[in-house]
């Protein structure tokens, strides 16, 4: 087989496509506000032009990029133009998107700090700044991972091993067979990723006691089951449907006094703590043993970026450290020993870029602004006769249009309309539209335009 020099890449073939990518990325950003939020039918049918079979022959990088941009860009869902309200998908901070271009070219692996001094420094700064912003103990340890699902799993594994360790059982040596049974108390409305993490940690649904919740989706402190030194308690900052948080201050101290472990899933809701105006909504959350959150949701970091945080660094290390001579390190902070992944990109660099760009005040105003947009959206819809199912919690708006069938029809119509995009859910027996406001690009004019579009779709569904 002959070596193909045009693909192996000499100098011009490396820098040319990077410049071209930057130019195309800029054009994409400029055009995105002109496009529908969901791709047009034509853009979707053009995807047929992507060859389905792997080519035998090489294709120059510039031609690959042309195909990606000309066919791919129009088929993207526009999550960064301020009018995407699906799931809890955050937009991307322009400072982070730019940093991601450069750090992508850097190609740094941050498994061990000697693999990249610069990525090691930024990982450490981003971790410490995150603890500071979220009002968590500065002696805790934060570790970057791919998202809150993995952050939940990481913390639950740390909790499981620590609880068993304190009950005289070494999981590292003895595994789980024959281990003292653990009890789990979880919000009846825990996020599906927490249930998945429990399963991966060897804890089944039958091991879980569901703590009853109220009309806002928060656990009720007065009905909270008793915990002991073998109990893992799972609370949440930001119910995925309502945005409301559990009453941490009323629950956590008693659990910890009895030797239990409290973990908080705060994928988006923990960011309330970064705002002096909204911090009271997660009052007491800093007393927990561990926290999972996302940088790719409210903070608007690029995917995929989550953060696992443990109060006692040794608890995280017990569950996550490697035993391999070639991976041993004296470094205080070695990401491979603080999470499930070994090789990993320098996610902390993007988080660092956002925090360096915004500063403390900028993150607080991002939180405040998206909360205000959610209130504004709820107000416009409610004033037109739409039923608000729950008072707005943080950045989530949950509404119903007449009845379940009409609600589903309105959701489908809004998705077709493409002015904005929102998805559905079921809430305490009713179908609902979830409007999740997570993009730094959203303006109050966007909220006006989108509320108008949603109402237009509602009226059209009623007229049918
Ligand atoms: C999104 C979300 C998760 C899962 O986070 P990923 O980053 O998607 O893995 C967990 N809990 C809550 C409350 C969420 O909103």
């Amino acid at each position: 087989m002959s070596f193909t020099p045009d693909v192996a890449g000499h100098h011009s073939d490396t820098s040319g496509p990077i410049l071209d990518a930057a130019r195309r990325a800029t054009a994409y950003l400029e055009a995105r506000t002109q496009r529908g939020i969901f791709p047009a039918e034509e853009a979707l049918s053009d995807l047929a032009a992507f060859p389905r079979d792997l080519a035998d022959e090489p294709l120059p990088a510039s031609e690959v990029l042309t195909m990606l941009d000309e066919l791919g860009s129009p088929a993207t869902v526009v999550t960064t133009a301020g009018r995407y309200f699906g799931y809890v998908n955050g937009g991307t901070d322009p400072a982070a998107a730019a940093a991601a271009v450069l750090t992508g070219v850097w190609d740094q692996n941050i498994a061990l700090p000697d693999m990249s001094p610069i990525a090691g420094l930024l990982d450490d700064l981003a971790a410490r700044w995150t603890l500071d912003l979220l009002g968590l103990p500065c002696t805790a340890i934060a570790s970057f991972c791919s998202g809150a699902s993995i952050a939940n799993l990481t913390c639950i594994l740390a909790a499981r091993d620590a609880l068993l360790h304190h009950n005289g059982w070494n999981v590292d040596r003895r595994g789980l067979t024959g281990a003292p049974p653990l009890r789990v108390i979880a919000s009846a409305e825990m996020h599906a990723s927490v249930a998945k993490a429990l399963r991966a940690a060897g804890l089944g649904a039958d091991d879980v006691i569901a703590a009853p919740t109220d009309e806002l989706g928060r656990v009720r402190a007065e009905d909270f089951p008793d915990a002991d030194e073998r109990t893992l308690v799972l609370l949440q900052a930001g119910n995925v449907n309502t945005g409301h948080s559990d009453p941490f201050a009323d629950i956590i101290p008693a659990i910890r006094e009895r030797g239990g472990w409290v973990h908080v899933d705060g994928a988006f809701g923990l960011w309330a703590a970064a705002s002096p105006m909204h911090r009271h909504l997660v009052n007491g959350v800093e007393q927990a043993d561990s926290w999972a959150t996302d940088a790719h949701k409210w903070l608007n970091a690029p995917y995929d970026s989550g953060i696992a945080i443990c109060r006692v660094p040794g608890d995280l290390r017990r569950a996550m450290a490697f035993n391999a001579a070639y991976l041993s390190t004296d470094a205080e902070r070695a990401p491979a020993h603080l999470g499930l992944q070994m090789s990993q990109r320098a996610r902390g660099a993007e988080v660092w870029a956002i925090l360096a760009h915004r500063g403390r005040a900028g993150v607080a105003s991002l939180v405040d602004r998206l909360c205000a947009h959610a209130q504004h959206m709820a107000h416009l819809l409610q004033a037109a006769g739409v039923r608000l199912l729950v008072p707005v919690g943080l950045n989530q708006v949950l509404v119903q249009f007449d009845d379940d069938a009409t609600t589903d029809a309105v959701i489908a119509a809004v998705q077709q309309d493409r002015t904005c995009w929102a998805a559905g859910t079921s809430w305490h027996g009713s179908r609902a539209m979830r409007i999740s406001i997570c993009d730094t690009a959203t303006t109050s004019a966007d909220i006006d335009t989108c509320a108008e579009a949603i109402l237009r779709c509602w009226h059209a569904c009623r007229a049918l």
Side-chain angles (χ1 to χ4, degrees):
M1 204 190 124
S2 70
F3 184 63
T4 318
D6 54 339
V7 177
H10 49 80
H11 182 74
S12 65
D13 199 42
T14 325
S15 58
I18 300 285
L19 277 174
D20 195 19
R23 189 181 56 74
R24 289 176 185 277
T26 306
Y28 176 86
L29 289 174
E30 279 164 3
R32 77 200 194 281
T33 50
Q34 262 53 258
R35 285 197 21 225
I37 294 302
F38 197 82
E41 292 304 334
E42 193 193 344
L44 295 175
S45 47
D46 285 350
L47 294 179
F50 273 98
R52 293 310 197 253
D53 294 324
L54 174 64
D56 290 324
E57 297 305 319
L59 190 65
S62 60
E63 284 179 43
V64 173
L65 191 70
T66 301
M67 187 157 53
L68 196 61
D69 189 29
E70 291 181 358
L71 297 173
S73 292
T76 55
V77 174
V78 182
T79 57
T80 60
R83 288 185 275 115
Y84 181 83
F85 308 126
Y87 309 99
V88 193
N89 287 348
T92 293
D93 187 293
V101 172
L102 182 58
T103 58
V105 174
W106 281 359
D107 185 37
Q108 303 293 280
N109 182 354
I110 179 58
L112 299 173
D114 68 4
M115 293 179 179
S116 172
I118 176 58
L121 172 66
L122 299 179
D123 175 80
D124 181 39
L125 291 176
R128 287 197 282 118
W129 290 358
T130 300
L131 294 176
D132 179 358
L133 268 176
L134 297 177
L136 301 179
C138 62
T139 48
I141 190 155
S143 153
F144 293 97
C145 59
S146 63
S149 299
I150 297 300
N152 279 323
L153 174 59
T154 304
C155 292
I156 285 170
L157 292 172
R160 181 196 70 185
D161 291 5
L163 286 170
L164 289 174
H165 173 77
H166 295 308
N167 284 278
W169 187 270
N170 181 330
V171 177
D172 196 23
R173 231 165 4 95
R174 307 174 74 179
L176 292 177
T177 309
L182 296 181
R183 299 169 77 224
V184 180
I185 303 172
S187 163
E189 298 191 32
M190 71 175 156
H191 191 266
S193 69
V194 178
K196 193 184 203 174
L198 284 172
R199 197 171 71 212
L203 295 156
D206 289 351
D207 300 318
V208 180
I209 301 164
T213 49
D214 66 12
E215 68 288 351
L216 301 180
R218 306 172 300 191
V219 298
R220 298 172 186 276
E222 62 278 17
D223 297 332
F224 204 78
D226 280 338
D228 61 15
E229 75 288 355
R230 287 186 194 169
T231 308
L232 167 58
V233 171
L234 301 167
L235 301 178
Q236 57 187 350
N239 177 300
V240 76
N241 283 315
T242 71
H244 289 280
S245 293
D246 291 334
F248 305 114
D250 298 337
I251 295 178
I252 297 178
I255 311 283
R256 296 198 66 224
E257 217 162 88
R258 292 183 193 143
W261 178 297
V262 181
H263 169 71
V264 176
D265 173 13
F268 65 95
L270 199 55
W271 290 90
S275 151
M277 201 197 284
H278 290 93
R279 189 171 296 155
H280 67 280
L281 297 174
V282 290
N283 186 32
V285 75
E286 70 286 350
Q287 298 174 57
D289 294 281
S290 61
W291 304 265
T293 192
D294 267 316
H296 59 218
K297 288 180 177 172
W298 209 324
L299 191 62
N300 281 221
Y303 293 102
D304 41 6
S305 189
I307 313 173
I309 306 170
C310 275
R311 170 179 294 278
V312 178
D315 288 338
L316 185 61
R317 291 206 171 89
R318 180 191 297 110
M320 295 294 143
F322 275 106
N323 284 317
Y326 88 107
L327 293 172
S328 78
T329 171
D330 294 331
E332 182 146 328
R333 194 176 164 78
H337 294 270
L338 299 175
L340 289 157
Q341 278 182 276
M342 186 183 305
S343 298
Q344 52 195 290
R345 67 191 183 84
R347 297 184 176 94
E350 292 154 5
V351 171
W352 171 85
I354 295 172
L355 301 183
H357 170 57
R358 291 187 178 269
R360 197 184 297 280
V363 177
S365 82
L366 171 65
V367 170
D368 296 344
R369 197 155 45 80
L370 301 193
C371 289
H373 288 331
Q375 293 288 352
H376 182 46
M377 173 68 87
H379 170 77
L380 293 174
L381 296 180
Q382 220 179 357
V386 177
R387 188 178 320 124
L388 188 64
L389 290 178
V390 183
V392 171
L394 293 176
N395 56 343
Q396 310 295 309
V397 183
L398 207 56
V399 287
Q400 198 187 42
F401 302 87
D402 303 320
D403 50 38
D404 286 355
T406 311
T407 301
D408 282 330
V410 175
I411 292 165
V414 165
Q415 294 180 355
Q416 271 290 318
D417 177 72
R418 294 172 165 81
T419 304
C420 61
W421 203 94
T425 188
S426 289
W427 168 252
H428 291 191
S430 296
R431 292 294 297 159
M433 178 191 277
R434 285 184 69 246
I435 303 169
S436 176
I437 302 179
C438 285
D439 180 7
T440 179
T442 303
T443 62
S444 49
D446 286 321
I447 299 295
D448 290 337
T449 306
C450 297
E452 221 175 270
I454 292 169
L455 292 170
R456 179 167 25 82
C457 292
W458 181 34
H459 297 144
C461 288
R462 276 182 152 182
L464 288 179

